[in-house]
């Protein structure tokens, strides 16, 4: 079963709540397994570009079936291959912390991407968003 719109909103709200606790403003994006946007929320005051970055982080994770840290490793170890694959998708792929895969019953359903804080903060918010699925 794919991620529903309501689940996407719950993840975005949870990511925003975590950002508030840390005193930062972020954008969170949820995409399905095909990298199509399911939901996006930009907190008031989050950098305008964070919306595109969050979606690009999520798209890369969903389509490669790798979280952002793993994508960064591929980019570092095999940059030519990474760039070739990155040309196959409609949005630029942003490797690095801040995206996490959405899994259910062993299947990858999509990904959440967060942008606006430091990389570690973005990842913390994304992981907090994922935990909202188990509530």
């Amino acid at each position: 079963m794919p991620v529903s719109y309501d689940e996407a909103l719950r993840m975005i709200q949870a990511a925003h709540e975590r950002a508030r606790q840390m005193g930062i403003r972020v954008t969170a994006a949820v995409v399905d397994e095909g990298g199509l946007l399911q939901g996006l929320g930009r907190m008031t005051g989050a950098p305008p570009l964070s919306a595109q970055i969050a979606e690009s982080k999520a798209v890369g994770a969903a389509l490669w079936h790798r979280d952002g840290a793993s994508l960064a490793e591929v980019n570092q170890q095999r940059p030519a291959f990474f760039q070739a694959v990155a040309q196959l998708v409609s949005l630029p792929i942003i490797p690095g912390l801040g995206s996490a895969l959405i899994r259910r019953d062993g299947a990858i359903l999509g990904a959440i991407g967060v942008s606006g804080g430091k990389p570690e903060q973005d990842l913390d918010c994304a992981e907090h968003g994922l935990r909202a699925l188990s509530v």
Side-chain angles (χ1 to χ4, degrees):
M1 170 185 262
V3 175
S4 72
Y5 175 70
D6 289 337
E7 289 173 322
L9 287 180
R10 227 171 43 232
M11 285 187 279
I12 291 165
Q13 290 168 344
H16 287 176
E17 179 56 35
R18 181 66 183 133
R20 274 189 216 69
Q21 292 169 359
M22 291 189 285
I24 61 172
R25 291 177 171 82
V26 302
T27 298
V30 175
V31 300
D32 67 12
E33 71 280 2
L36 299 175
L37 189 63
Q38 294 290 99
L40 182 134
R42 180 174 158 246
M43 296 174 73
T44 302
L49 189 57
S50 66
Q52 292 163 303
I53 294 171
E55 185 177 358
S56 291
K57 285 180 178 183
V59 166
L63 295 178
W64 278 61
H65 287 193
R66 297 172 178 261
D67 63 27
S70 179
L71 285 176
E73 288 177 24
V74 173
N75 186 37
Q76 184 178 34
Q77 295 169 359
R78 300 167 55 197
F81 177 69
F82 184 91
Q83 290 305 318
V85 172
Q87 298 298 314
L88 300 175
V89 298
S90 60
L91 292 173
I93 295 175
I94 307 281
L97 298 179
S99 63
L101 293 170
I102 302 167
R103 300 174 191 263
R104 183 179 294 141
D105 300 325
I108 294 173
L109 305 182
I112 181 171
V114 175
S115 178
K118 294 177 183 175
E120 299 79 15
Q121 293 171 319
D122 289 350
L123 179 59
D124 189 12
C125 291
E127 290 173 342
H128 198 79
L130 277 181
R131 285 193 288 277
L133 282 182
S134 61
V135 174

